[in-house]
Amino acid sequence: MNKKIVSATLGVLSATPAGAQTIEIVANGSPKSASGPSQYFGGHAVVTPLLSPNETTKASLGLVTFSPGARTAWHTHPAGQLLIVSTGQGWFQQEGQARRTINAGDVVWIPAGVKHWHGATATSPMRHYATTYFAGDKNVDWMEQVADKQYGEP
């Protein structure tokens, strides 16, 4: 899979902008899901792109499902990210700070340029909706994996 497609999928979007002048309905079950590639995820995660950015709304929306123990690699977003936890329990960590627990119903705003990771706890799956904002044509900068020891530390 080429880097642009991987970045787009993992940024929870597709590469083709949606039309700005029409209402778009994405039928439940119609988007194609894909396993998160191992260079961007530890453990098993499934990414389902839901809405692409368009000319007026430079954001994408996707659903990410993490199995217990699964998490993203460290990363930043050039224009920020909004997470809404829909089921389960997960962990979130900003670089240099303690890991925090996130639960169904929690909303997490990650400002532009903040290095972080997020995923399921070691014993609970977690699913979140992710809205990722674009700066130009970029929405994510992937970095190193979260080490198992780092993941397990409170």
Side-chain angles (χ1 to χ4, degrees):
M1 195 180 300
N2 77 37
K3 189 172 182 177
K4 185 170 185 172
I5 291 172
V6 169
S7 179
T9 300
L10 297 177
V12 205
L13 63 105
S14 66
T16 308
Q21 300 300 315
T22 61
I23 292 173
E24 183 177 353
I25 297 173
V26 178
N28 186 19
S30 66
K32 301 292 183 210
S33 299
S35 291
S38 61
Q39 69 260 45
Y40 302 129
F41 290 89
H44 181 69
V46 176
V47 179
T48 306
L50 298 174
L51 288 175
S52 301
N54 61 46
E55 296 82 25
T56 54
T57 305
K58 303 295 186 201
S60 62
L61 173 66
L63 180 61
V64 185
T65 304
F66 296 89
S67 295
R71 68 271 194 178
T72 66
W74 287 99
H75 61 285
T76 63
H77 299 279
Q81 182 182 48
L82 177 68
L83 304 176
I84 301 172
V85 181
S86 60
T87 60
Q89 185 175 65
W91 288 329
F92 173 90
Q93 186 173 18
Q94 179 176 337
E95 183 180 44
Q97 296 188 9
R99 184 188 72 201
R100 297 170 67 183
T101 299
I102 52 178
N103 294 291
D106 289 350
V107 176
V108 181
W109 168 247
I110 300 114
V114 172
K115 187 175 178 180
H116 68 283
W117 66 267
H118 39 95
T121 69
T123 58
S124 173
M126 191 265 294
R127 177 181 286 180
H128 67 49
Y129 290 91
T131 301
T132 305
Y133 301 89
F134 280 74
D137 65 350
K138 192 169 203 173
N139 67 333
V140 63
D141 288 305
W142 291 103
M143 298 167 188
E144 72 276 8
Q145 287 289 339
V146 175
D148 288 341
K149 181 178 180 204
Q150 207 173 25
Y151 170 78
E153 293 176 354

